[in-house]
């Protein structure tokens, strides 16, 4: 720090009051900062509560003196404030530690011991060895600097604040402008507008990391250490218009986030994604059963258009979760807001699958990933349960159950299961129902849970089968179908005793039930099979034990012949 003072300032022993003579009130209480002897007296209180952080660029006026009052430096000599970045070792440690405790506009006297100043060496000719120093410092302002990687590798100073609160994520596609320079100001490269996916990065690693901290329209100055720039190798441009970055070079990069397109995953397996081109209105989105109006263009990966609906005509209308369009389009539109424009990328599993599909304008080959440009013009949501009267809830539950039955017959068991669960949601809370309505709801609950159990059997989710059938039996203990399906699940879970109990009870209620009799026969075969396996298993175990016993006896005899066994006395 002394070098900076000596190179940029003239030293005077005395200054006029206007230039900032040290004038500390006698009654101001002195406080100690830290454990190394740094002391501070507040001469003038600052504003607010915020104090600067490491990396922030602070602006101060100061006067420095020895304990005997000898002045050795002052910012007033240059008639301009002194600026530096806090906490990065650009000044003596006493300054870094003391200024971090100050508020904007605060003026304080710091008494700094040699260990936090210039130590045994001093700073000749103005500061003798082992000198305790006093600085009257006024904190004029500071610019917030964000330490992006928490290691000082990328420091960000905001030049222009951005809009809103959102910042880009790894999958998003950003549009930026940037200009990179060496520390001496030499231009390396300048780009007007560049678009890239955040996780893929651009130019050097710092851009991808920094842009994730920025808001739309924000412009920032990045101080980038070599490890986040080009490291030991440096950079040589492909074009003669750009400058060379030598090895181990720190860069100054001005970065502006012009805009970005949010990319999100619609499905958990990352096989349907959505890139937003234009934000929609409000917060509302379509629900299952909503009627939506859209404009859409379906394309193959090579850009071939295979369908175009609603562009030069009335919007295309369909109902969510009714299989009127491919699954990926159904799911994607369900995440959109009114007026939103997006690109949906849909893998074959959620598109046309392994079969060739002849569409309006072209054929979609088997196993094709497709893109849809979609605008959600408007939608009408299906009413939620709380919006319906009790008769409407019962009627809607019955309709959803029938829809589930239709889907079940098409062998789409997972979708059918969800439809039965949706049906039940309308009558789950029946406290406001009349007695007659409660009876109707009870019948529907039993039917939906039984049908859902049939779906779960097909999906081999046997634990859920047990739960659903138990719910039915809690409401109707003599329900043969519930006993039968729960017994099927118990057999698959190898809970054969519980399966036997359910089958016996079902046969007591309905002795001639062919399905239950068949399950009883299957159970007997399973019991025989497991008894046979058990006998074989335990037979093998006993055989191995006998063999080991014989070997153990033989080895014991040999060991006795060889001599007595010894133990480790240290054990």
């Amino acid at each position: 720090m002394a070098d900076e003072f000596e190179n940029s300032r003239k030293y005077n022993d005395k200054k006029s009051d206007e230039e900032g003579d040290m004038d500390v009130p006698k009654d101001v209480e002195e406080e100690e900062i830290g454990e190394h002897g740094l002391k501070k007296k507040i001469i003038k209180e600052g504003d607010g509560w915020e104090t600067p952080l490491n990396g922030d660029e602070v602006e101060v006026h100061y006067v420095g003196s020895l304990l005997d009052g000898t002045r050795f430096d002052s910012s007033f000599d240059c008639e301009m404030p002194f600026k530096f970045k806090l906490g990065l070792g650009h000044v003596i440690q006493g300054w870094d530690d003391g200024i971090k405790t100050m508020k904007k506009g605060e003026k304080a006297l710091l008494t700094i011991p040699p260990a936090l100043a210039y130590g045994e060496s001093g700073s000749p000719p103005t500061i003798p060895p082992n000198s305790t120093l006093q600085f009257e410092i006024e904190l004029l302002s500071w610019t917030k600097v964000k330490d992006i990687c928490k290691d000082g590798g990328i420091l960000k100073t905001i030049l222009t604040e951005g809009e809103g609160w959102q910042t880009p994520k790894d999958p998003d596609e950003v549009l930026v402008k940037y200009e990179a320079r060496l520390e001496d100001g030499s231009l390396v490269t300048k780009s007007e507008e560049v678009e890239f996916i955040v996780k893929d990065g651009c130019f050097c690693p710092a851009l991808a990391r920094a842009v994730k901290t920025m808001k739309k329209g924000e412009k920032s100055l990045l101080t980038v250490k070599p490890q986040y720039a080009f490291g030991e190798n440096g950079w040589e441009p492909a074009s003669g218009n750009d400058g060379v970055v030598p090895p181990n070079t720190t860069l100054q990069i001005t970065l502006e986030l012009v805009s970005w397109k949010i990319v999100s995953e619609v499905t958990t397996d990352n096989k349907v994604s959505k890139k937003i081109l234009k934000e929609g209105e409000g917060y509302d989105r379509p629900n299952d059963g909503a009627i939506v109006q859209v404009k859409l263009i379906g394309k193959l990966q090579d850009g071939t258009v295979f369908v175009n609906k609603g562009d030069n005509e009335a919007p295309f209308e369909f109902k969510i979760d009714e299989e009127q369009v491919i699954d990926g389009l159904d799911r994607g539109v369900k995440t959109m807001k009114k007026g939103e424009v997006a690109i949906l990328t849909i893998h074959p599993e959620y598109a046309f699958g392994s079969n060739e599909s002849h569409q309006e304008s072209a054929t979609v080959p088997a196993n094709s990933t497709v893109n849809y440009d979609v605008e959600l013009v408007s939608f009408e949501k299906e009413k939620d349960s709380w919006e319906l009267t009790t008769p409407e809830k019962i009627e809607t539950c019955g309709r959803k159950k029938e829809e589930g039955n239709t889907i079940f017959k098409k062998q789409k068991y997972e979708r059918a299961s969800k439809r039965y669960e949706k049906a039940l949601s309308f009558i789950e809370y029946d406290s406001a129902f009349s007695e007659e309505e409660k009876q109707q709801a009870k019948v529907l609950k039993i039917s939906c849970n039984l049908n859902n159990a049939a779906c779960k059997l097909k999906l081999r989710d046997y634990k859920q089968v047990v739960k659903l059938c138990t719910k039915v039996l809690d409401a109707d203990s003599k329900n043969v179908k519930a006993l039968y399906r729960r017994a099927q699940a118990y057999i698959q879970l190898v809970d054969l005793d519980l399966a036997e109990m359910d089958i016996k009870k079902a046969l007591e209620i309905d002795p001639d039930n062919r399905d239950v009799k068949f399950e009883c026969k299957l159970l007997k075969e399973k019991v025989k099979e497991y008894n046979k396996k058990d006998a074989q298993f335990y037979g093998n175990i006993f055989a191995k034990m006998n063999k080991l016993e014989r070997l153990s006896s033989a080895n014991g005899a040999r060991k006795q012949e060889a001599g007595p066994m010894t133990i480790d006395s240290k054990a």
Side-chain angles (χ1 to χ4, degrees), residues 307-333:
V307 67
N308 188 340
K309 291 183 178 291
D311 197 18
N312 298 314
E313 55 191 55
F316 172 57
E317 184 174 283
F318 67 93
K319 194 172 186 180
I320 295 285
D321 200 36
E322 288 291 334
E323 296 189 307
Q324 295 175 5
V325 295
I326 60 170
D327 193 20
L329 183 57
D330 221 22
R331 292 172 184 247
V333 170

Side-chain angles (χ1 to χ4, degrees), residues 95 186 292 382 427 469 515-516 560:
W95 268 47
S186 303
V292 299
E382 181 173 78
I427 56 170
C469 291
D515 290 335
V516 178
Q560 284 182 348

Side-chain angles (χ1 to χ4, degrees), residues 284-419:
D284 219 8
R285 295 176 173 88
N287 59 356
D288 286 342
I291 297 171
V292 299
Q293 292 83 36
V294 301
K295 294 180 181 180
L296 62 86
I297 301 173
K299 301 176 185 176
L300 303 179
Q301 292 293 285
D302 64 5
T304 302
V305 174
F306 60 82
V307 67
N308 188 340
K309 291 183 178 291
D311 197 18
N312 298 314
E313 55 191 55
F316 172 57
E317 184 174 283
F318 67 93
K319 194 172 186 180
I320 295 285
D321 200 36
E322 288 291 334
E323 296 189 307
Q324 295 175 5
V325 295
I326 60 170
D327 193 20
L329 183 57
D330 221 22
R331 292 172 184 247
V333 170
K334 194 176 164 185
T335 69
M336 296 174 70
K337 303 172 188 174
K338 181 181 177 181
E340 182 178 321
V341 179
I343 298 175
L344 298 174
T345 301
I346 305 171
H347 284 241
E349 295 90 323
Y350 295 91
F352 299 98
S354 57
N355 297 318
E356 187 176 84
S357 179
H358 300 288
Q359 294 295 304
E360 181 183 282
S361 304
T363 296
V364 178
N367 299 310
S368 291
T369 294
V370 295
N371 294 327
Y372 280 88
D373 297 348
V374 184
E375 179 183 351
L376 180 55
V377 178
S378 63
F379 62 90
E380 183 181 342
K381 292 180 75 172
E382 181 173 78
K383 286 185 178 180
D384 288 316
S385 176
W386 58 270
E387 298 176 282
L388 303 176
T389 63
T390 52
E392 286 174 334
K393 290 179 182 179
I394 292 169
E395 186 275 327
T396 304
C397 175
R399 177 163 45 83
K400 293 288 180 188
K401 187 199 81 169
E402 292 305 318
E403 289 171 5
N405 293 348
T406 302
I407 297 169
F408 184 89
K409 288 172 185 175
K410 294 178 182 178
Q411 299 182 0
K412 296 182 178 181
Y413 305 119
E414 191 169 343
R415 288 178 64 84
S417 172
K418 288 180 181 177
R419 197 57 56 94

Side-chain angles (χ1 to χ4, degrees), residues 185-464:
S186 303
L187 180 66
V188 174
T189 188
K190 183 176 182 179
S191 176
E192 283 305 315
E193 286 191 348
V194 174
E195 194 167 52
F196 65 94
I197 296 169
V198 174
K199 65 183 176 185
D200 293 343
C202 177
F203 184 57
C204 70
L207 262 63
R209 289 175 176 265
V211 80
K212 288 196 286 186
T213 71
M214 299 175 70
K215 302 169 188 171
K216 182 180 176 182
E218 181 181 321
K219 187 174 183 180
S220 291
L221 176 63
L222 309 177
T223 301
V224 183
K225 296 291 185 183
Q227 66 266 33
Y228 296 105
F230 296 99
E232 296 177 355
N233 299 320
W235 181 70
E236 290 194 15
S239 163
N241 296 327
D242 294 330
V244 172
V245 178
N248 299 311
T249 298
T250 296
L251 295 179
Q252 297 288 326
I253 301 176
T254 304
L255 178 64
E256 180 182 353
L257 176 56
V258 179
S259 63
W260 84 87
K261 296 164 187 170
I262 297 172
V263 178
S264 58
E265 298 299 337
V266 175
T267 56
T268 54
D269 57 6
N270 301 333
K271 290 186 176 178
V272 181
S273 63
K274 181 181 76 166
K275 184 198 304 186
I276 297 175
L277 304 181
K278 178 189 166 190
E279 285 284 348
E281 306 167 11
Y283 299 95
D284 219 8
R285 295 176 173 88
N287 59 356
D288 286 342
I291 297 171
V292 299
Q293 292 83 36
V294 301
K295 294 180 181 180
L296 62 86
I297 301 173
K299 301 176 185 176
L300 303 179
Q301 292 293 285
D302 64 5
T304 302
V305 174
F306 60 82
V307 67
N308 188 340
K309 291 183 178 291
D311 197 18
N312 298 314
E313 55 191 55
F316 172 57
E317 184 174 283
F318 67 93
K319 194 172 186 180
I320 295 285
D321 200 36
E322 288 291 334
E323 296 189 307
Q324 295 175 5
V325 295
I326 60 170
D327 193 20
L329 183 57
D330 221 22
R331 292 172 184 247
V333 170
K334 194 176 164 185
T335 69
M336 296 174 70
K337 303 172 188 174
K338 181 181 177 181
E340 182 178 321
V341 179
I343 298 175
L344 298 174
T345 301
I346 305 171
H347 284 241
E349 295 90 323
Y350 295 91
F352 299 98
S354 57
N355 297 318
E356 187 176 84
S357 179
H358 300 288
Q359 294 295 304
E360 181 183 282
S361 304
T363 296
V364 178
N367 299 310
S368 291
T369 294
V370 295
N371 294 327
Y372 280 88
D373 297 348
V374 184
E375 179 183 351
L376 180 55
V377 178
S378 63
F379 62 90
E380 183 181 342
K381 292 180 75 172
E382 181 173 78
K383 286 185 178 180
D384 288 316
S385 176
W386 58 270
E387 298 176 282
L388 303 176
T389 63
T390 52
E392 286 174 334
K393 290 179 182 179
I394 292 169
E395 186 275 327
T396 304
C397 175
R399 177 163 45 83
K400 293 288 180 188
K401 187 199 81 169
E402 292 305 318
E403 289 171 5
N405 293 348
T406 302
I407 297 169
F408 184 89
K409 288 172 185 175
K410 294 178 182 178
Q411 299 182 0
K412 296 182 178 181
Y413 305 119
E414 191 169 343
R415 288 178 64 84
S417 172
K418 288 180 181 177
R419 197 57 56 94
Y420 294 130
E421 288 167 2
K422 181 70 175 177
L424 282 167
S425 70
F426 288 94
I427 56 170
E428 187 176 3
Y429 304 105
D430 59 3
S431 57
F433 287 19
S434 67
E435 287 304 313
E436 184 182 350
E437 288 168 341
K438 283 182 180 179
Q439 281 303 115
Q440 292 174 323
K442 180 181 177 181
V443 172
L444 284 168
K445 285 178 183 178
I446 288 172
S447 181
C448 286
N449 280 321
L450 276 175
N451 292 354
N452 198 5
C455 293
K456 298 298 184 183
L457 274 171
K458 295 289 187 181
L459 296 168
R460 300 182 181 181
D461 189 352
Y462 302 118
K463 290 184 178 179
Q464 278 300 314

